[in-house]
Amino acid sequence: LGLLIAQGAQPAFASSGSHDEHGNQGNHGGPQYSAGSSGAGDPYFPDAGNGGYDVKHYDIAFTYDPATRTMDATTKITAVATQGLNRFDLDFRGPEITSLTVNGHRSAFERSGQELVVTPRHDLGKGRRFTVVVKYKGTPPVVTDPDGSIEGWVPTDDGAFVPGEPQGSPAWFPGNDHPTDKATFTFHATVPEGVTAVGNGRLVSQKTKKGQTTFVWDSREPMATYLSTVTIGNFTVTKSKTPGGLPIYTAVDPRLVTQSAAAVAQIPDIVDYFSSIFGPYPFDTAGAIIDRAPDVGYALESQTKPIFSSAPGVGTMAHELAHQWFGDSVSLSRWSDIWLNEGFATYSQWMYTEHTGGATVDQTFNSTSNYGRAATSSFWQTVTTDPGPEDMFGNVPYNRGAMTLHALRGKIGDAAFFTLVKNWAAANRYGNTSTAEFISSAEKVSGMDLTNFFDVWLFQKGKPTTW
Ligand code: ZN
C-alpha cells in the first residue's frame, strides 16, 4: 500500500476511467465524480467550509501535554457525499499529518493554506456515507483574524484556551469549517493528572490511569465547528442543576473564582429568564469556562459552555448565554449576517439588565454608546449587514444590531415582537437562516410592510431618523 502524497501536482479530474470501489465506471452520461469545492461560498471567508459532503459526526481523540505544547491526535469524521466525489477538501491548519484514510484506505492528500485536499482511493458515490480518519501530531497553531484578534489553539500558563470564531477550529481538528455544516461531536481529551479538559456537552466519563486523565465529552445536538472547544488548564469545577433540572458544569481558573462568582451565580436565573422569552433552552447542558488568557481578551459563546478569557461580569455572562439560542441553535448562513448573532445577544443583555433592576432597554438604546451617538459619528457609516470581516466583531453588529431590534419592537409592538422572537428560535432551532428570512418573518408576524424600516436600520449608512 503506497502512501501517495502528491506534492504540487493535482490529481486529474475523473473524466474517464474512474471507478468507484465496486468497480462501477463513473463517467456514463457525463462526469458523475468530480472535486468538491474548496469553500462554502462565504464572501468573507472564501476558503471556509467545503462542498460535496455533509459532516454528520466528529470523533476527536487527543493527548495534550501543556508542558511541551504537543498534541497527538486522531480525528474521525463521518460524512455523507452530496455529489459524486473523486476529491474533496477539509479545512485544517493543524500540525503534521502522519496518516489519512478514507473508508479505511490510505489516501493521497496535499495541503495548501487551510485546505487539506484529499483524493480518496475509491470514488464516493452521491449519497454514500464515508469516514475519514486523520492522525496528526505537533503544536496546534494560534490563528490571527482579519481584525487582529487571536483564536484557535491559544496556549495559557497552565493549558490552552480554545475559541474558534470565525475560523479557529481547523487549528486543532480537520473539518468542514462553516456554520452551514453542523454535526454532533465526541471529544476524548487526555491530559496530565490534575489538569482538566473541558469540552462541549455532557461529561460522559473521566478516568485516570498512569498519571493521565481522559475526559470524554459528548455534544449530542448539532454544533457548528466554530462553537467547539476543549479548553485545558487548572480549573475549579462545579456541577449543579437549574431548578428546572438542566445540568450546569462550570470550570473556573482558581485565580478567578472570587471575581467571577457573581456572574457564575446568575447562570440559572439567566437561563430561566431567557427561556421565558425565547422558548426552551436548546441544549441538554449549560455552563461556563472561565480561564486566564490575557492575549485573547474576549468571550465566546462556545456551545453549552461559553468561554471567557478573564472573569466576566453578569452582562457578559448574559450575552454569551443568549447566544445559545441566537448563534448556536439558530445560526447564520453567511458571516456577513453576524448582526443576527451579535445584535440579538446584545439586545438580550440589555433586557436582562432591565429585568434585574438596572437601566431600562429604552435608556440603553438612547445612551451615548447607542442612539445617543452624534449623527456625524463614524459609527453610523458602517452598514449593519455588511461590516466586513475586519469589523464583524466591532460596535456596529452588536450595538446597531441591538438598536435595530429595539426599534423594531417599538414599531410592531411588544406582542408581535415577542411572538416573532419565540417563533424565530423555534422555527430555526439547530438550523441556519438569514437576514432576508428574518425580515419576512417580521413582516408576517406583524402584518406590516417593513421595507423602509429595515432599509434604514440594516442596509443603509447614516443615523436613522424616521422609520
Ligand atoms: Zn456576542
Side-chain angles (χ1 to χ4, degrees):
L1 293 180
L3 172 59
L4 301 164
I5 303 177
Q7 288 292 3
Q10 296 279 348
F13 280 64
S15 50
S16 65
S18 163
H19 295 256
D20 69 15
E21 65 193 282
H22 308 293
N24 299 316
Q25 284 221 287
N27 60 342
H28 296 294
Q32 293 179 13
Y33 297 93
S34 57
S37 68
S38 63
D42 196 301
Y44 283 15
F45 297 93
D47 294 335
N50 305 283
Y53 63 90
D54 173 17
V55 177
K56 299 296 179 189
H57 187 73
Y58 293 91
D59 188 285
I60 301 166
F62 64 80
T63 300
Y64 184 71
D65 180 3
T68 61
R69 298 185 174 177
T70 302
M71 172 181 280
D72 191 347
T74 302
T75 289
K76 178 179 171 186
I77 297 169
T78 306
V80 172
T82 54
Q83 67 179 64
L85 285 173
N86 57 19
R87 196 172 90 189
F88 60 88
D89 282 21
L90 294 166
D91 298 304
F92 189 51
R93 304 169 183 274
E96 194 191 346
I97 293 174
T98 55
S99 90
L100 187 153
T101 63
V102 178
N103 292 332
H105 302 287
R106 284 204 171 228
S107 294
F109 63 89
E110 54 185 294
R111 299 181 67 169
S112 150
Q114 76 179 82
E115 299 306 307
L116 166 57
V117 183
V118 179
T119 305
R121 180 81 62 81
H122 302 291
D123 292 345
L124 301 164
K126 183 176 177 181
R128 174 87 152 86
R129 202 173 178 90
F130 64 101
T131 57
V132 186
V133 177
V134 187
K135 293 183 189 288
Y136 46 101
K137 186 174 179 174
T139 301
V142 171
V143 175
T144 302
D145 287 324
D147 66 1
S149 64
I150 57 169
E151 55 163 327
W153 193 270
V154 182
T156 57
D157 57 7
D158 59 5
F161 185 79
V162 185
E165 188 186 25
Q167 49 169 359
S169 75
W172 57 288
F173 66 90
N176 197 21
D177 189 33
H178 195 268
T180 46
D181 190 1
K182 299 187 187 189
T184 53
F185 284 71
T186 307
F187 306 99
H188 314 253
T190 301
V191 292
E193 184 174 1
V195 174
T196 302
V198 195
N200 312 90
R202 260 179 207 275
L203 180 60
V204 175
S205 64
Q206 175 179 339
K207 285 183 192 135
T208 299
K209 72 174 187 228
K210 292 189 195 153
Q212 300 233 291
T213 306
T214 300
F215 293 81
V216 179
W217 292 94
D218 201 13
S219 186
R220 291 190 265 192
E221 296 96 1
M223 177 166 79
T225 47
Y226 81 91
L227 298 168
S228 62
T229 192
V230 174
T231 286
I232 294 166
N234 298 322
F235 288 114
T236 301
V237 170
T238 308
K239 298 174 193 176
S240 61
K241 281 191 172 168
T242 64
L246 179 70
I248 300 183
Y249 182 109
T250 60
V252 184
D253 186 304
R255 295 164 290 187
L256 303 176
V257 167
T258 308
Q259 273 172 278
S260 49
V264 169
Q266 288 304 107
I267 294 174
D269 186 63
I270 296 169
V271 168
D272 238 49
Y273 172 67
F274 288 151
S275 304
S276 77
I277 53 179
F278 304 146
Y281 179 80
F283 307 118
D284 67 359
T285 64
I289 304 168
I290 300 173
D291 200 1
R292 201 169 162 279
D295 297 339
V296 175
Y298 60 82
L300 172 65
E301 61 268 25
S302 307
Q303 192 156 302
T304 70
K305 288 181 196 73
I307 56 174
F308 302 85
S309 60
S310 61
V314 173
T316 304
M317 181 62 76
H319 178 108
E320 304 308 336
L321 291 175
H323 271 306
Q324 302 303 309
W325 283 263
F326 306 112
D328 296 12
S329 171
V330 179
S331 301
L332 311 171
S333 307
R334 290 288 170 263
W335 283 112
S336 50
D337 275 341
I338 188 71
W339 83 275
L340 280 174
N341 289 4
E342 301 304 344
F344 266 95
T346 302
Y347 192 55
S348 303
Q349 182 182 343
W350 295 2
M351 289 193 286
Y352 189 70
T353 300
E354 176 176 296
H355 171 73
T356 51
T360 65
V361 284
D362 261 321
Q363 287 167 338
T364 307
F365 177 92
N366 285 305
S367 82
T368 52
S369 8
N370 294 309
Y371 197 69
R373 285 180 195 261
T376 51
S377 164
S378 64
F379 171 86
W380 301 109
Q381 295 311 309
T382 298
V383 174
T384 317
T385 49
D386 188 20
E390 47 311 296
D391 274 330
M392 54 189 284
F393 303 113
N395 278 328
V396 171
Y398 288 68
N399 291 31
R400 189 166 175 161
M403 279 186 260
T404 301
L405 293 172
H406 189 60
L408 178 65
R409 180 177 167 185
K411 177 97 182 163
I412 68 179
D414 276 13
F417 180 78
F418 287 105
T419 302
L420 168 65
V421 169
K422 225 174 202 166
N423 287 354
W424 181 247
N428 299 297
R429 190 173 170 97
Y430 307 144
N432 297 87
T433 187
S434 65
T435 296
E437 287 182 50
F438 183 69
I439 293 173
S440 84
S441 303
E443 293 192 325
K444 205 173 279 170
V445 172
S446 66
M448 294 165 76
D449 177 352
L450 298 168
T451 314
N452 181 65
F453 175 90
F454 285 114
D455 269 355
V456 300
W457 277 104
L458 294 180
F459 299 108
Q460 290 173 15
K461 291 184 182 180
K463 182 174 175 173
T465 49
T466 49
W467 57 83

